[in-house]
């Protein structure tokens, strides 16, 4: 007797009429038209079942703090960092934990079950680190939270930056972060990349740096990150986040850079909602978009994922933990409007993000965790277009969240009584 049998599911690869058999929290079998006794049966009605969403880049220590102590009036990255500096002395562990847990509720309801969050390690009290380690422990039954030691004020620029980062790792933070473009000089930025990669290599940790979150075409720390990843044998274990300067770089230089990144096995995380909002702020017109070169990186063989980065914090006042909204913005900004491009944007918040995360047991195959989402959409393209309702969210075979189908009742002469914004299919 199975624990759960999903039938008539469409899968992201296009297979229809599929059954998913679940036993002991794992997928036992994925096959067409299976019928077997099960404690729970779910009729997917031809809708899309996808592995859950993953956010590979977030800041949970700042989330839901919008307006504390004031809002970011200029909307720039630098005012956001200054505002975060004003907020930090006012933070309490209790309030931070409460906001983070509330965000995780939102995330689960949106089918987002794994989040990589940076946590600011600049403050010697490490209050945010301790608070998010506590959150990680509390949400573990329903959400994978991976933490990155993030020296927001610059690991070399801030007093005791290196020591605070190492103390955070000692406490159990998973990944080594950095912010080379915020160090005092280009040389210091490069030195920080080398130092932080060496710390990670020594401790067997992954690396994920905020890298070149700037419109300065000469911000080239991604080159150093790729070089260090290769030198230290860390292929597949290093991520460059944002990489927005690549938008503004000289094309000839980029033609050398892309193969270098691919060769180093460095992955790239772009954050479309934030990049389109924060970049280009020093421009008059035309205004640059500032997002990194997603199609070109992908074509070069680089693993590219999309992150949410911020939700209602000093940098961004919008968001609800919806990775389909992230993918939607990504495809617009990168003009990835072909069917193939849109599906790549869906991959960027699912399978590609899982690679960044090094998440085990992810996928819709026998042996994977039974962690999936039933969407009110018939394929990944429709899912992004509609930011489709997450009808059911399962983790390891357990139902975590449900959302009613989104339909509007219509009162129109001679027309159907309702619409779900889907093109009629013959
Ligand atoms: Fe970030």
């Amino acid at each position: 007797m199975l624990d759960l049998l999903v039938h008539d599911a469409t899968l992201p690869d296009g297979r229809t009429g599929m059954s998913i058999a679940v036993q002991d929290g794992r997928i036992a079998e994925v096959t067409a038209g299976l019928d077997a006794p099960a404690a729970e049966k779910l009729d997917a009605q031809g809708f899309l079942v996808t592995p859950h969403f993953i956010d590979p880049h977030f800041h949970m220590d700042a989330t839901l703090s919008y307006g504390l102590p004031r809002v970011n009036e200029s909307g720039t990255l630098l005012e956001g960092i200054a505002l975060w500096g004003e907020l930090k002395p006012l933070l309490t562990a209790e309030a931070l934990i409460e906001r983070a847990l509330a965000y995780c509720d939102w995330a689960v309801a949106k089918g987002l079950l794994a989040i990589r969050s940076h946590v600011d390690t600049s403050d010697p009290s490490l209050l945010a680190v301790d608070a998010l380690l506590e959150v990680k422990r509390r949400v573990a039954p329903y959400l994978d939270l991976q933490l990155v030691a993030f020296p927001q004020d610059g690991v070399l620029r801030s007093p005791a930056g290196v020591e605070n980062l190492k103390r955070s790792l000692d406490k159990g933070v998973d990944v080594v972060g950095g912010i080379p473009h915020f160090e005092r000089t280009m040389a210091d930025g490069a030195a920080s990349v080398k130092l932080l990669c060496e710390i990670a290599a020594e401790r067997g940790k992954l690396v994920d740096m905020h890298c070149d979150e700037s419109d300065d075409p000469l911000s080239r720390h991604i080159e150093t990150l790729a070089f260090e990843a290769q030198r230290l044998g860390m292929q597949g274990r290093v991520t460059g986040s944002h990489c927005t300067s690549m938008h503004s770089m000289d094309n000839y230089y980029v033609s050398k850079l892309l193969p270098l990144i691919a060769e180093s096995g460095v992955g790239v995380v772009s954050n479309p909602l934030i990049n389109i909002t924060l970049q280009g702020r020093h421009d008059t017109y035309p205004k640059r978009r500032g997002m990194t070169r997603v199609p070109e990186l992908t074509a070069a063989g680089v693993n590219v994922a999309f992150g949410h980065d911020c939700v209602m914090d000093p940098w961004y006042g919008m968001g609800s933990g919806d990775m389909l909204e992230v993918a939607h913005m990504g495809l617009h900004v990168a003009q990835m409007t072909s069917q193939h491009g849109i599906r790549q944007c869906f991959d960027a918040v699912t399978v590609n993000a899982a690679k960044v995360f090094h998440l085990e047991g992810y996928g819709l195959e026998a042996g994977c965790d039974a962690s999936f989402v039933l969407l009110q959409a018939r394929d990944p393209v429709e899912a992004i277009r509609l930011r489709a309702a997450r009808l059911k969210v399962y983790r390891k075979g357990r139902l975590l969240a449900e959302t009613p189908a989104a339909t509007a009742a219509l009162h129109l002469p001679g027309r159907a009584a309702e619409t779900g914004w889907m093109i009629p299919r013959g």
Side-chain angles (χ1 to χ4, degrees):
M1 173 101 146
L2 296 166
D3 295 332
L4 168 67
L5 179 63
V6 183
H7 67 94
D8 196 17
T10 297
L11 304 187
D13 63 13
R15 282 178 289 167
T16 57
M18 299 300 289
S19 303
I20 303 169
V22 174
Q23 188 75 57
D24 299 326
R26 289 182 183 272
I27 295 173
E29 193 179 356
V30 178
T31 188
L34 176 73
D35 195 15
E40 181 188 349
K41 289 197 176 184
L42 173 65
D43 181 2
Q45 297 181 298
F47 284 138
L48 178 66
V49 173
T50 175
H52 64 80
F53 298 107
I54 299 172
D55 183 357
H57 187 112
F58 195 63
H59 293 265
M60 204 175 279
D61 48 3
T63 197
L64 310 199
S65 68
Y66 185 73
L68 297 176
R70 60 182 178 84
V71 299
N72 182 338
E73 290 299 338
S74 70
T76 60
L77 172 66
L78 294 179
E79 186 178 341
I81 293 174
L83 181 49
W84 175 235
E86 291 170 38
L87 174 58
K88 270 196 274 190
L90 310 175
L91 286 177
T92 66
E94 294 71 26
L96 196 159
I97 289 168
E98 199 40 55
R99 289 194 288 263
L101 290 174
Y103 181 73
C104 290
D105 294 344
W106 296 10
V108 168
K110 293 288 188 187
L112 169 54
L113 300 183
I115 300 174
R116 170 180 280 186
S117 174
H118 295 254
V119 51
D120 189 352
T121 59
S122 301
D123 191 294
S125 76
L126 299 184
L127 177 143
V129 171
D130 288 331
L132 283 195
L133 283 167
E134 173 64 14
V135 172
K136 177 177 170 160
R137 196 184 61 76
R138 288 206 215 169
V139 301
Y142 52 87
L143 184 146
D144 284 303
L145 177 59
Q146 188 180 57
L147 299 177
V148 185
F150 175 48
Q152 171 80 72
D153 299 338
V155 74
L156 299 178
R157 187 171 176 171
S158 61
V162 179
E163 191 193 327
N164 293 342
L165 178 126
K166 286 183 172 173
R167 285 170 54 222
S168 305
L169 297 173
D170 291 341
K171 282 173 176 278
V173 171
D174 308 285
V175 181
V176 177
I179 186 164
H181 56 277
F182 198 69
E183 301 292 353
R184 286 192 177 88
T185 62
M186 289 290 183
D188 262 10
S192 78
V193 171
K194 180 169 186 284
L195 171 73
L196 291 163
C197 286
E198 285 171 354
I199 290 172
E202 219 167 81
R203 295 178 177 234
K205 299 280 191 185
L206 303 175
V207 172
D208 187 344
M209 279 187 211
H210 284 65
C211 199
D212 306 320
E213 189 180 4
S214 160
D215 294 320
D216 174 5
L218 297 179
S219 189
R220 296 177 169 186
H221 297 295
I222 183 66
E223 179 186 285
T224 310
L225 189 65
F227 175 79
E228 290 300 329
Q230 193 153 42
R231 181 178 73 86
L232 295 164
M234 299 181 76
Q235 288 91 342
R237 301 178 59 78
V238 176
T239 301
S241 282
H242 292 292
C243 301
T244 53
S245 72
M246 203 184 297
H247 184 93
S248 300
M249 282 174 183
D250 170 70
N251 285 337
Y252 189 89
Y253 173 67
V254 173
S255 73
K256 177 200 167 194
L257 180 63
L258 292 179
L260 183 72
I261 299 171
E263 181 188 29
S264 71
V266 167
V268 169
V269 171
S270 176
N271 298 293
L273 293 165
I274 305 310
N275 300 153
I276 197 64
T277 311
L278 293 183
Q279 301 313 130
R281 287 280 180 159
H282 296 210
D283 295 350
T284 53
Y285 288 93
K287 280 185 194 289
R288 283 168 287 181
R289 298 176 186 213
M291 194 167 88
T292 198
R293 303 191 189 197
V294 176
E296 292 79 8
L297 283 160
T298 305
V302 177
N303 183 52
V304 181
F306 288 162
H308 207 311
D309 200 6
C310 301
V311 170
M312 301 192 73
D313 69 7
W315 296 274
Y316 189 62
M318 300 278 116
S320 62
D322 185 351
M323 296 308 292
L324 287 173
E325 190 174 301
V326 173
H328 189 263
M329 180 59 78
L331 84 87
H332 281 79
V333 179
Q335 299 181 332
M336 294 169 73
T337 49
S338 69
Q339 286 283 307
H340 180 62
I342 299 170
R343 283 168 192 275
Q344 284 181 328
C345 292
F346 191 83
D347 289 348
V349 295
T350 52
V351 289
N352 295 3
K355 281 184 211 155
V356 169
F357 208 95
H358 283 225
L359 192 62
E360 288 173 7
Y362 184 79
L364 281 184
E365 288 161 32
C368 292
D369 286 339
S371 302
F372 46 73
V373 183
L374 173 63
L375 293 161
Q376 188 192 355
R378 294 168 296 192
D379 59 54
V381 175
E382 194 165 71
I384 293 178
R385 179 176 67 83
L386 296 174
R387 272 77 80 215
R390 283 65 166 174
L391 300 173
K392 305 271 182 187
V393 179
Y394 286 89
R395 184 175 186 267
K396 297 186 179 174
R398 196 162 69 86
L399 182 64
L400 295 184
E402 297 170 90
T403 301
T407 53
L410 295 173
H411 313 285
L412 305 174
R415 300 298 303 155
E418 63 174 38
T419 182
W421 300 275
M422 291 179 185
I423 294 176
R425 285 186 187 170

